PDB file of all heavy atoms in Angstrom:
ATOM      1  N   ARG A  11       4.030  14.192  16.322  1.00 98.00           N
ATOM      2  CA  ARG A  11       2.933  13.241  16.071  1.00 98.00           C
ATOM      3  C   ARG A  11       3.131  12.558  14.718  1.00 98.00           C
ATOM      4  O   ARG A  11       2.996  11.329  14.601  1.00 98.00           O
ATOM      5  CB  ARG A  11       1.607  14.014  16.084  1.00 98.00           C
ATOM      6  CG  ARG A  11       0.434  13.252  15.495  1.00 98.00           C
ATOM      7  CD  ARG A  11      -0.810  14.121  15.431  1.00 98.00           C
ATOM      8  NE  ARG A  11      -0.524  15.421  14.860  1.00 98.00           N
ATOM      9  CZ  ARG A  11      -1.073  16.562  15.263  1.00 98.00           C
ATOM     10  NH1 ARG A  11      -1.985  16.559  16.201  1.00 98.00           N
ATOM     11  NH2 ARG A  11      -0.743  17.706  14.702  1.00 98.00           N
ATOM     12  N   GLU A  71      -4.901  19.366  12.804  1.00 97.00           N
ATOM     13  CA  GLU A  71      -6.322  19.723  12.728  1.00 97.00           C
ATOM     14  C   GLU A  71      -6.640  20.685  11.587  1.00 97.00           C
ATOM     15  O   GLU A  71      -7.719  20.639  10.993  1.00 97.00           O
ATOM     16  CB  GLU A  71      -6.819  20.316  14.065  1.00 97.00           C
ATOM     17  CG  GLU A  71      -6.158  21.588  14.551  1.00 97.00           C
ATOM     18  CD  GLU A  71      -4.843  21.353  15.289  1.00 97.00           C
ATOM     19  OE1 GLU A  71      -4.314  20.238  15.232  1.00 97.00           O
ATOM     20  OE2 GLU A  71      -4.336  22.314  15.907  1.00 97.00           O
ATOM     21  N   GLU A 100     -13.721  19.802  16.843  1.00 97.00           N
ATOM     22  CA  GLU A 100     -12.578  20.540  17.389  1.00 97.00           C
ATOM     23  C   GLU A 100     -12.595  21.999  16.936  1.00 97.00           C
ATOM     24  O   GLU A 100     -12.247  22.892  17.710  1.00 97.00           O
ATOM     25  CB  GLU A 100     -11.248  19.903  16.946  1.00 97.00           C
ATOM     26  CG  GLU A 100     -10.040  20.746  17.361  1.00 97.00           C
ATOM     27  CD  GLU A 100      -8.701  20.070  17.225  1.00 97.00           C
ATOM     28  OE1 GLU A 100      -8.640  18.917  16.774  1.00 97.00           O
ATOM     29  OE2 GLU A 100      -7.693  20.718  17.595  1.00 97.00           O
ATOM     30  N   SER A 196      -6.183  11.333  28.177  1.00 98.00           N
ATOM     31  CA  SER A 196      -6.459  11.473  26.735  1.00 98.00           C
ATOM     32  C   SER A 196      -6.721  10.093  26.154  1.00 98.00           C
ATOM     33  O   SER A 196      -5.918   9.178  26.355  1.00 98.00           O
ATOM     34  CB  SER A 196      -5.249  12.061  26.001  1.00 98.00           C
ATOM     35  OG  SER A 196      -4.756  13.198  26.647  1.00 98.00           O
ATOM     36  N   ASP A 214      -1.306  13.628  29.405  1.00 97.00           N
ATOM     37  CA  ASP A 214      -0.457  14.701  28.869  1.00 97.00           C
ATOM     38  C   ASP A 214      -0.006  15.599  30.027  1.00 97.00           C
ATOM     39  O   ASP A 214      -0.592  15.553  31.113  1.00 97.00           O
ATOM     40  CB  ASP A 214      -1.322  15.500  27.874  1.00 97.00           C
ATOM     41  CG  ASP A 214      -0.544  16.499  27.046  1.00 97.00           C
ATOM     42  OD1 ASP A 214       0.697  16.482  27.080  1.00 97.00           O
ATOM     43  OD2 ASP A 214      -1.202  17.322  26.367  1.00 97.00           O
ATOM     44  N   LYS A 216       0.530  19.563  30.305  1.00 93.00           N
ATOM     45  CA  LYS A 216       0.394  20.745  29.439  1.00 93.00           C
ATOM     46  C   LYS A 216       1.230  21.938  29.894  1.00 93.00           C
ATOM     47  O   LYS A 216       1.628  22.764  29.071  1.00 93.00           O
ATOM     48  CB  LYS A 216      -1.075  21.150  29.347  1.00 93.00           C
ATOM     49  CG  LYS A 216      -1.910  20.118  28.599  1.00 93.00           C
ATOM     50  CD  LYS A 216      -3.025  20.762  27.806  1.00 93.00           C
ATOM     51  CE  LYS A 216      -3.731  19.774  26.896  1.00 93.00           C
ATOM     52  NZ  LYS A 216      -4.505  18.748  27.621  1.00 93.00           N
ATOM     53  N   THR A 227       1.194  24.838  27.344  1.00 92.00           N
ATOM     54  CA  THR A 227       1.961  24.612  26.113  1.00 92.00           C
ATOM     55  C   THR A 227       1.163  23.647  25.250  1.00 92.00           C
ATOM     56  O   THR A 227       0.088  23.195  25.633  1.00 92.00           O
ATOM     57  CB  THR A 227       3.307  23.942  26.444  1.00 92.00           C
ATOM     58  OG1 THR A 227       3.035  22.597  26.898  1.00 92.00           O
ATOM     59  CG2 THR A 227       4.070  24.694  27.520  1.00 92.00           C
ATOM     60  N   GLY A 228       1.742  23.241  24.144  1.00 90.00           N
ATOM     61  CA  GLY A 228       1.111  22.188  23.331  1.00 90.00           C
ATOM     62  C   GLY A 228       1.190  20.839  24.012  1.00 90.00           C
ATOM     63  O   GLY A 228       0.509  19.898  23.598  1.00 90.00           O
ATOM     64  N   GLY A 229       2.026  20.715  25.039  1.00 94.00           N
ATOM     65  CA  GLY A 229       2.226  19.437  25.751  1.00 94.00           C
ATOM     66  C   GLY A 229       3.715  19.205  25.955  1.00 94.00           C
ATOM     67  O   GLY A 229       4.478  19.200  25.002  1.00 94.00           O
ATOM     68  N   TYR A 271     -10.127  12.290  19.303  1.00 98.00           N
ATOM     69  CA  TYR A 271      -9.346  12.491  20.534  1.00 98.00           C
ATOM     70  C   TYR A 271     -10.304  13.015  21.591  1.00 98.00           C
ATOM     71  O   TYR A 271     -10.965  14.035  21.392  1.00 98.00           O
ATOM     72  CB  TYR A 271      -8.243  13.498  20.238  1.00 98.00           C
ATOM     73  CG  TYR A 271      -7.474  14.074  21.421  1.00 98.00           C
ATOM     74  CD1 TYR A 271      -6.098  13.988  21.461  1.00 98.00           C
ATOM     75  CD2 TYR A 271      -8.099  14.749  22.461  1.00 98.00           C
ATOM     76  CE1 TYR A 271      -5.370  14.532  22.511  1.00 98.00           C
ATOM     77  CE2 TYR A 271      -7.388  15.287  23.509  1.00 98.00           C
ATOM     78  CZ  TYR A 271      -6.025  15.181  23.528  1.00 98.00           C
ATOM     79  OH  TYR A 271      -5.323  15.730  24.561  1.00 98.00           O
ATOM     80  N   GLU A 285     -12.491  18.321  26.179  1.00 96.00           N
ATOM     81  CA  GLU A 285     -12.475  18.745  24.772  1.00 96.00           C
ATOM     82  C   GLU A 285     -12.431  17.520  23.875  1.00 96.00           C
ATOM     83  O   GLU A 285     -11.993  16.445  24.292  1.00 96.00           O
ATOM     84  CB  GLU A 285     -11.236  19.612  24.478  1.00 96.00           C
ATOM     85  CG  GLU A 285      -9.933  18.861  24.679  1.00 96.00           C
ATOM     86  CD  GLU A 285      -8.682  19.650  24.342  1.00 96.00           C
ATOM     87  OE1 GLU A 285      -8.791  20.773  23.830  1.00 96.00           O
ATOM     88  OE2 GLU A 285      -7.586  19.115  24.585  1.00 96.00           O
ATOM     89  N   ASN A 287     -10.829  16.534  20.068  1.00 97.00           N
ATOM     90  CA  ASN A 287     -10.001  16.977  18.950  1.00 97.00           C
ATOM     91  C   ASN A 287     -10.230  16.029  17.786  1.00 97.00           C
ATOM     92  O   ASN A 287     -10.584  14.860  17.991  1.00 97.00           O
ATOM     93  CB  ASN A 287      -8.521  17.002  19.334  1.00 97.00           C
ATOM     94  CG  ASN A 287      -8.226  18.096  20.354  1.00 97.00           C
ATOM     95  OD1 ASN A 287      -8.825  19.171  20.291  1.00 97.00           O
ATOM     96  ND2 ASN A 287      -7.356  17.835  21.296  1.00 97.00           N
ATOM     97  N   ARG A 289      -8.232  14.600  15.697  1.00 98.00           N
ATOM     98  CA  ARG A 289      -6.958  14.046  15.228  1.00 98.00           C
ATOM     99  C   ARG A 289      -6.254  13.366  16.384  1.00 98.00           C
ATOM    100  O   ARG A 289      -6.709  13.446  17.520  1.00 98.00           O
ATOM    101  CB  ARG A 289      -6.104  15.220  14.726  1.00 98.00           C
ATOM    102  CG  ARG A 289      -6.276  16.381  15.733  1.00 98.00           C
ATOM    103  CD  ARG A 289      -5.134  17.197  16.027  1.00 98.00           C
ATOM    104  NE  ARG A 289      -5.471  18.225  16.997  1.00 98.00           N
ATOM    105  CZ  ARG A 289      -5.021  18.212  18.238  1.00 98.00           C
ATOM    106  NH1 ARG A 289      -4.256  17.228  18.684  1.00 98.00           N
ATOM    107  NH2 ARG A 289      -5.340  19.183  19.072  1.00 98.00           N
ATOM    108  N   PHE A 290      -5.133  12.731  16.085  1.00 98.00           N
ATOM    109  CA  PHE A 290      -4.309  12.174  17.151  1.00 98.00           C
ATOM    110  C   PHE A 290      -3.719  13.328  17.971  1.00 98.00           C
ATOM    111  O   PHE A 290      -3.432  14.400  17.439  1.00 98.00           O
ATOM    112  CB  PHE A 290      -3.136  11.386  16.560  1.00 98.00           C
ATOM    113  CG  PHE A 290      -3.500  10.043  15.985  1.00 98.00           C
ATOM    114  CD1 PHE A 290      -3.695   9.882  14.620  1.00 98.00           C
ATOM    115  CD2 PHE A 290      -3.628   8.932  16.809  1.00 98.00           C
ATOM    116  CE1 PHE A 290      -4.015   8.643  14.091  1.00 98.00           C
ATOM    117  CE2 PHE A 290      -3.946   7.687  16.283  1.00 98.00           C
ATOM    118  CZ  PHE A 290      -4.142   7.537  14.927  1.00 98.00           C
ATOM    119  N   GLY A 291      -3.501  13.101  19.269  1.00 97.00           N
ATOM    120  CA  GLY A 291      -2.908  14.134  20.129  1.00 97.00           C
ATOM    121  C   GLY A 291      -1.395  14.134  20.020  1.00 97.00           C
ATOM    122  O   GLY A 291      -0.776  13.146  19.641  1.00 97.00           O
ATOM    123  N   ASP A 292      -0.816  15.255  20.387  1.00 96.00           N
ATOM    124  CA  ASP A 292       0.633  15.402  20.359  1.00 96.00           C
ATOM    125  C   ASP A 292       1.054  16.047  21.671  1.00 96.00           C
ATOM    126  O   ASP A 292       0.602  17.150  21.941  1.00 96.00           O
ATOM    127  CB  ASP A 292       0.992  16.292  19.163  1.00 96.00           C
ATOM    128  CG  ASP A 292       2.456  16.207  18.799  1.00 96.00           C
ATOM    129  OD1 ASP A 292       3.198  15.510  19.509  1.00 96.00           O
ATOM    130  OD2 ASP A 292       2.868  16.855  17.820  1.00 96.00           O
ATOM    131  N   PRO A 293       1.793  15.419  22.565  1.00 97.00           N
ATOM    132  CA  PRO A 293       2.661  14.262  22.333  1.00 97.00           C
ATOM    133  C   PRO A 293       2.051  12.885  22.629  1.00 97.00           C
ATOM    134  O   PRO A 293       2.781  11.889  22.544  1.00 97.00           O
ATOM    135  CB  PRO A 293       3.809  14.527  23.315  1.00 97.00           C
ATOM    136  CG  PRO A 293       3.148  15.186  24.488  1.00 97.00           C
ATOM    137  CD  PRO A 293       2.043  16.030  23.903  1.00 97.00           C
ATOM    138  N   GLU A 294       0.769  12.769  22.955  1.00 98.00           N
ATOM    139  CA  GLU A 294       0.235  11.463  23.360  1.00 98.00           C
ATOM    140  C   GLU A 294       0.493  10.356  22.324  1.00 98.00           C
ATOM    141  O   GLU A 294       0.768   9.209  22.681  1.00 98.00           O
ATOM    142  CB  GLU A 294      -1.277  11.554  23.618  1.00 98.00           C
ATOM    143  CG  GLU A 294      -1.664  12.410  24.818  1.00 98.00           C
ATOM    144  CD  GLU A 294      -2.007  13.829  24.410  1.00 98.00           C
ATOM    145  OE1 GLU A 294      -1.326  14.389  23.517  1.00 98.00           O
ATOM    146  OE2 GLU A 294      -2.967  14.378  24.966  1.00 98.00           O
ATOM    147  N   ARG A 380       8.628  23.314  20.539  1.00 97.00           N
ATOM    148  CA  ARG A 380       8.819  21.932  20.999  1.00 97.00           C
ATOM    149  C   ARG A 380       9.748  21.279  19.978  1.00 97.00           C
ATOM    150  O   ARG A 380       9.420  21.171  18.797  1.00 97.00           O
ATOM    151  CB  ARG A 380       7.472  21.215  21.072  1.00 97.00           C
ATOM    152  CG  ARG A 380       6.611  21.761  22.205  1.00 97.00           C
ATOM    153  CD  ARG A 380       5.430  20.869  22.487  1.00 97.00           C
ATOM    154  NE  ARG A 380       4.459  20.838  21.401  1.00 97.00           N
ATOM    155  CZ  ARG A 380       3.435  19.996  21.342  1.00 97.00           C
ATOM    156  NH1 ARG A 380       3.251  19.112  22.299  1.00 97.00           N
ATOM    157  NH2 ARG A 380       2.579  20.039  20.346  1.00 97.00           N
TER     158      ARG A 380
HETATM  159  N1  LIG B 501      -1.737  17.149  23.696  1.00 68.46           N
HETATM  160  C1  LIG B 501      -2.889  17.877  23.439  1.00 68.46           C
HETATM  161  C2  LIG B 501      -3.347  17.905  22.043  1.00 68.46           C
HETATM  162  O1  LIG B 501      -2.853  17.200  21.189  1.00 68.46           O
HETATM  163  O2  LIG B 501      -4.236  18.673  21.732  1.00 68.46           O
END
Side-chain angles (χ1 to χ4, degrees):
R11 165 185 48 217
E71 61 277 12
E100 173 168 1
S196 311
D214 190 10
K216 292 214 171 68
T227 69
Y271 168 125
E285 63 177 354
N287 291 324
R289 42 143 181 110
F290 285 99
D292 196 357
E294 293 95 321
R380 290 193 293 171

